[in-house]
Amino acid sequence: MIKDIVTDEAILSQPCEPATAADAEVAQDLVDTLLANEEAAALAANQIGVTKAIVAYLNEKDRPVVMYNPQITQALKPFPAVEACLSREEAAAITRYKWIRVSYDVLLNGELMPRKKKMEGWQAQLVQHMIDHCNGELV
């Protein structure tokens, strides 16, 4: 189901709870909302009003990728960035990393399974922004 984008700072500033396999419907709503919004490259669940640690982003082929409980485990090559956000009116200056390693879960056969991924460039930046959302950090 396509959801409205949340702009309420009280919701967005709350750290998200860990996601479980029971949150599959939230992940689907996140993907549906991401694909329906031409301006979006990534979304976190709290941006659709659910404070669960789930993010979705568009990969290099514009296909959605869902990460449950993502965490950055390593970050290299910091750089200054200015980022826009669908939940905020103004862009913000922030330090990002060109290369990250992320641990996260994927839903397979009704169960969350751990994964790790090295990311760089634009997609790494998207995931860093979404993880900030999961941590209740407003960018």
Side-chain angles (χ1 to χ4, degrees):
M1 178 183 297
I2 298 168
K3 303 284 188 171
D4 291 332
I5 303 297
V6 171
T7 58
D8 183 345
E9 289 189 18
I11 293 170
L12 296 170
S13 63
Q14 292 178 29
C16 292
E17 299 170 22
T20 67
D23 295 314
E25 188 175 314
V26 174
Q28 187 59 56
D29 289 347
L30 196 57
V31 168
D32 292 346
T33 304
L34 175 61
L35 293 174
N37 190 322
E38 293 179 13
E39 295 177 3
L43 286 173
N46 61 356
Q47 290 182 282
I48 62 168
V50 182
T51 54
K52 290 287 189 162
I54 307 171
V55 304
Y57 69 94
L58 297 176
N59 68 13
E60 57 281 343
K61 296 179 181 177
D62 280 340
R63 292 196 177 109
V65 175
V66 174
M67 295 177 155
Y68 291 76
N69 306 311
Q71 294 184 338
I72 295 171
T73 59
Q74 188 176 10
L76 299 171
K77 301 180 183 176
F79 69 96
V82 176
E83 295 179 350
C85 180
L86 294 173
S87 294
R88 313 263 312 180
E89 288 187 26
E90 310 232 349
I94 190 160
T95 298
R96 291 290 182 217
Y97 297 87
K98 292 181 183 178
W99 186 96
I100 61 172
R101 185 182 312 257
V102 182
S103 66
Y104 60 100
D105 297 319
V106 296
L107 186 64
L108 288 174
N109 301 319
E111 293 184 34
L112 291 183
M113 305 297 291
R115 296 286 185 265
K116 294 180 182 178
K117 182 184 284 192
K118 297 176 193 171
M119 303 181 80
E120 56 187 309
W122 173 241
Q123 312 227 304
Q125 188 173 349
L126 289 175
V127 170
Q128 289 170 77
H129 186 106
M130 293 306 103
I131 290 173
D132 282 352
H133 273 294
C134 290
N135 292 332
E137 297 173 22
L138 299 172
V139 176

